[in-house]
Amino acid sequence: MKKFLALLLAAVMVIFAFAACGNTKTPDSTDPSADKKAVDYDAISDTCESADGKYELAFVTDVGQLKDKSFNQGTWEGLKKFASDNGKTYKYYQPANGNKATDDDRFDAMKAAADSGAKVVVCAGFLQGTALQKAAETYPDVNFVFIDGWALQNASGEALKNVAGVDFQEEQSGYLAGYAAVKEGFTKLGFSGGGGGENPACCRFGYGYVQGAEAAAKELGKTVEMKYSWENGSSFSASPELQTMLNGWYTSGTEVVFSCGGSMCQSAFAAASANDGYVIGVDVDQSSQSSTVITSATKGIREAVAFTLQKYYDNKWSDIGGVQTTLGAANDAVGLPTDTWSLKNFSLEDYNKLFNSLKDGSVTVDKQYENLKADSFTAVKLEIV
């Protein structure tokens, strides 16, 4: 993953003597292995004072919280760091009605961003699609970045050139996590996903996780049990119901749960901590959030946001506007954070070997999560809850 992150970070580390907003010093090093330790994203202010009331860069959140320790937060951190490094004003907008936000609520948030002077609006999450199409057509002079989205078209079937669709091969990252968990010695796994099974990114993470566990179990000649559920995660939020469900999993023998869905992780952390269990994080490295996290299935959200913004300021928007950009192992854009994991039996050498096999295509992971069935696997005894 290092090569991709280093290239993207190098592309955006243009240091200004004065930044319009933000109150942090950022490191000169572009070594991604030092990124988590060196960059204090919390030190970059979430609020930015603009002299003229205009904000050049904007972020419209997905459902859940801005500081969800996962997807929204990672996207926001990528934007505000780029803005702070490059002297740009910035602001975030959260659609009304929280987890019950409608397409109209999302459009209103995008409209507020555009009306407040945004040149680029970054929108996170597949639920933004309908509102984003309307916003892109309403504001043709504003550029939009659709993270975990796709290239959009107008009613005539023409590509909307002011929308850059960016998605990831989450199935590869999930595969690495499932494979690592079984190689580490765990035989009773869990997957708790967000979005009710309708979020493509979470679905790809989960399907890849099962495939990775299956591959490792076959190699070891073992049978692995896995509980797999979308229950209590439709809003991507922590809840007593979710914590109760996961607590039941741990008390019945589940050893590690892949928590895949924004701030749902808080329920997983609490349940794991109460039962001496473990958690696999998602999207960003969540090891600093709980001692229960043994590793995280990550994707380069922060770096991808910075990459798209730099394209705009380099007058190269045409490279990404109106087309789909998909990032995976071949771009070093997914993986496990080896510097911070607490795995003891699954070695770095084994990880690099597997990662390179994904990168060169000698190991492939099915992304068609519709294929997941309880009886689709032989070494994984899958219980869909």
Side-chain angles (χ1 to χ4, degrees), residues 58 60 91 93 106-118 121 139:
V60 176
K91 187 174 181 178
Y93 300 80
R106 297 182 183 94
F107 173 77
D108 288 344
M110 297 172 198
K111 180 179 185 297
D115 290 345
S116 295
V121 180
Y139 296 94

Side-chain angles (χ1 to χ4, degrees), residues 39-77:
V39 179
D40 183 357
Y41 291 100
D42 288 334
I44 306 174
S45 178
D46 289 325
T47 59
C48 173
E49 296 299 327
S50 171
D52 60 1
K54 302 292 185 181
Y55 296 90
E56 192 163 327
L57 299 177
F59 171 48
V60 176
T61 68
D62 195 0
V63 294
Q65 305 169 4
L66 176 71
K67 294 300 185 72
D68 61 0
K69 308 298 183 184
S70 182
F71 184 70
N72 278 325
Q73 185 167 340
T75 308
W76 175 234
E77 288 173 349

Side-chain angles (χ1 to χ4, degrees), residues 116-172:
S116 295
K119 295 181 178 179
V120 184
V121 180
V122 177
C123 302
F126 83 110
L127 291 173
Q128 308 272 23
T130 299
L132 182 50
Q133 179 171 348
K134 181 180 178 180
E137 294 186 80
T138 304
Y139 296 94
D141 294 328
V142 177
N143 288 323
F144 296 85
V145 178
F146 191 5
I147 295 292
D148 268 7
W150 53 91
L152 295 176
Q153 299 176 336
N154 61 22
S156 300
E158 300 168 325
L160 291 171
K161 300 290 188 180
N162 60 333
V163 178
V166 180
D167 66 355
F168 299 84
Q169 291 177 284
E170 291 92 354
E171 69 277 4
Q172 294 179 331

